[in-house]
Amino acid sequence: MKSSAVTKILIEETNNLSEEQKLFNKLVKQIERKKKELSKWEQCAEDYKYKYIKELSPIEDELNKYRNEFVYILDNAYSNKNFSKKEKKLIVTLIHDMCAESLSLTYDENLANIFTTYQAIVKEDQKKRAGSFYDDIVQRIEDDIKERMHDERKEWESSRIDDEENYCQPQETEEDKASQQSLKEIYRSLAANLHPDKELDELEKDRKNSLMQDINKAYKEKNLVELLKIQLEEEKNQQKNIEEISKGKVGSFNKAFKRQLEELRDNVSAIKRSFQLYHPDLKMSGLTENKLNDKLQENIKYHRKVASQTKNDLEKYKKDIKNIKVFLKSVESRSAFEEMFLY
């Protein structure tokens, strides 16, 4: 069964319909379906965001807190004579990396001070390994960067001047102009006939005031389907009016409908792509709300497990430094973030 919005704008199906009229009906139906799909994905995005903030975000905050706590434990361990030079070198790397990760999420003055201290140690170590040419290399790099920035700025200023001199607006095609003209004509007609200031009856004035808000919104969004629907709803002989649209007008409407349909598709794809940033293993073609919910629940379960294990590990590190030594040995050949705080 057709929705009322579609029913009120479709050209009556007969054997006498032209190809443009058939396309008109097809595009109207596709737009209605795509709008429903977009609405569904917008709601899905809101629901996902709510669940993420309510359930997953607090666990991530807990893990961040544990990571910072681990930084302080390692900071104390660095000054402990029971750790070898090799172990302390690894401690420096771990502290530096974890501080950088934490500070990229939120600023903490104590962590920033620790990061500055260990960053200096890392740089000094790099300098020693680079040999006597280190300062010269750095200076050459800095000079090269400055020279490139100077050249790029001159090039940019030159191109900007050229752009300003040669700039011209892209030319609209006759089809674009006709489509835009159709949109304006319907809008102006509706605004002239339905403006609330012309109405004396208060109830009718309120109705037209609400209607004008819908009209302005549809015009701003270049939503020709919505404007046509409003126009036909306000006319008594709805079916006759839509059928009497000239072939040229139908063609202009179809071009506007195609652009609107493409924009709706782009909006749906944009929402799906935003989910792929968090779940790159999910394919857009088969992406569903159920798959997203399953993935979110899987992440929540995993993060809870990591948080619980990390909490227990930190307690062990506080009780006995031997446990820290065991940990350091386990990550000698791996990144700290492959061993702990894997989120």
Side-chain angles (χ1 to χ4, degrees), residues 121-137:
I121 297 174
V122 170
K123 285 185 176 181
E124 184 63 27
D125 182 61
Q126 291 173 341
K127 186 175 180 179
K128 288 179 181 178
R129 285 189 283 114
S132 59
F133 295 105
Y134 180 82
D135 290 333
D136 291 339
I137 292 172

Side-chain angles (χ1 to χ4, degrees), residues 52-63:
Y52 187 102
I53 293 174
K54 184 179 180 181
E55 299 183 48
L56 185 54
S57 187
I59 305 173
E60 289 181 334
D61 291 341
E62 184 180 4
L63 280 165

Side-chain angles (χ1 to χ4, degrees), residues 279-291:
H279 310 296
D281 55 319
L282 294 178
K283 296 180 179 179
M284 280 185 62
S285 57
L287 197 59
T288 64
E289 186 175 359
N290 287 337
K291 286 184 179 180

Side-chain angles (χ1 to χ4, degrees), residues 4 28 83 85 94 110 123 153 190 221 239 246 250 270 305 319:
S4 59
V28 168
F83 288 92
K85 288 183 178 181
L94 294 176
N110 292 330
K123 285 185 176 181
R153 180 168 183 80
L190 289 170
E221 296 174 354
Q239 195 60 47
S246 68
V250 172
K305 180 180 177 181
K319 290 179 180 178

Side-chain angles (χ1 to χ4, degrees), residues 189-199 205 208-209 212:
S189 175
L190 289 170
N193 295 326
L194 298 174
H195 202 287
D197 291 347
K198 297 180 180 180
E199 187 60 53
K205 188 172 184 178
K208 288 186 176 181
N209 188 54
M212 276 305 301

Side-chain angles (χ1 to χ4, degrees), residues 40-149:
K40 183 196 76 173
W41 278 108
E42 287 174 339
Q43 186 59 51
C44 177
E46 286 297 316
D47 293 342
Y48 185 95
K49 181 179 178 181
Y50 175 78
K51 291 176 184 176
Y52 187 102
I53 293 174
K54 184 179 180 181
E55 299 183 48
L56 185 54
S57 187
I59 305 173
E60 289 181 334
D61 291 341
E62 184 180 4
L63 280 165
N64 289 334
K65 184 185 73 172
Y66 291 154
R67 176 170 51 202
N68 296 346
E69 189 175 342
F70 189 45
V71 166
Y72 295 128
I73 291 173
L74 291 177
D75 182 39
N76 289 330
Y78 183 75
S79 59
N80 193 309
K81 296 180 180 179
N82 292 313
F83 288 92
S84 66
K85 288 183 178 181
K86 184 178 180 180
E87 288 171 332
K88 288 188 177 184
K89 186 176 181 179
L90 183 54
I91 287 174
V92 169
T93 301
L94 294 176
I95 292 177
H96 178 274
D97 290 351
M98 286 193 286
C99 280
E101 180 70 14
S102 292
L103 291 171
S104 70
L105 299 173
T106 181
Y107 181 78
D108 180 279
E109 187 174 356
N110 292 330
L111 278 182
N113 291 334
I114 293 174
F115 176 72
T116 300
T117 299
Y118 286 92
Q119 187 180 43
I121 297 174
V122 170
K123 285 185 176 181
E124 184 63 27
D125 182 61
Q126 291 173 341
K127 186 175 180 179
K128 288 179 181 178
R129 285 189 283 114
S132 59
F133 295 105
Y134 180 82
D135 290 333
D136 291 339
I137 292 172
V138 171
Q139 188 61 47
R140 288 174 194 168
I141 293 173
E142 290 179 351
D143 291 342
D144 185 55
I145 291 173
K146 289 178 181 178
E147 185 177 349
R148 288 185 183 181
M149 288 177 65

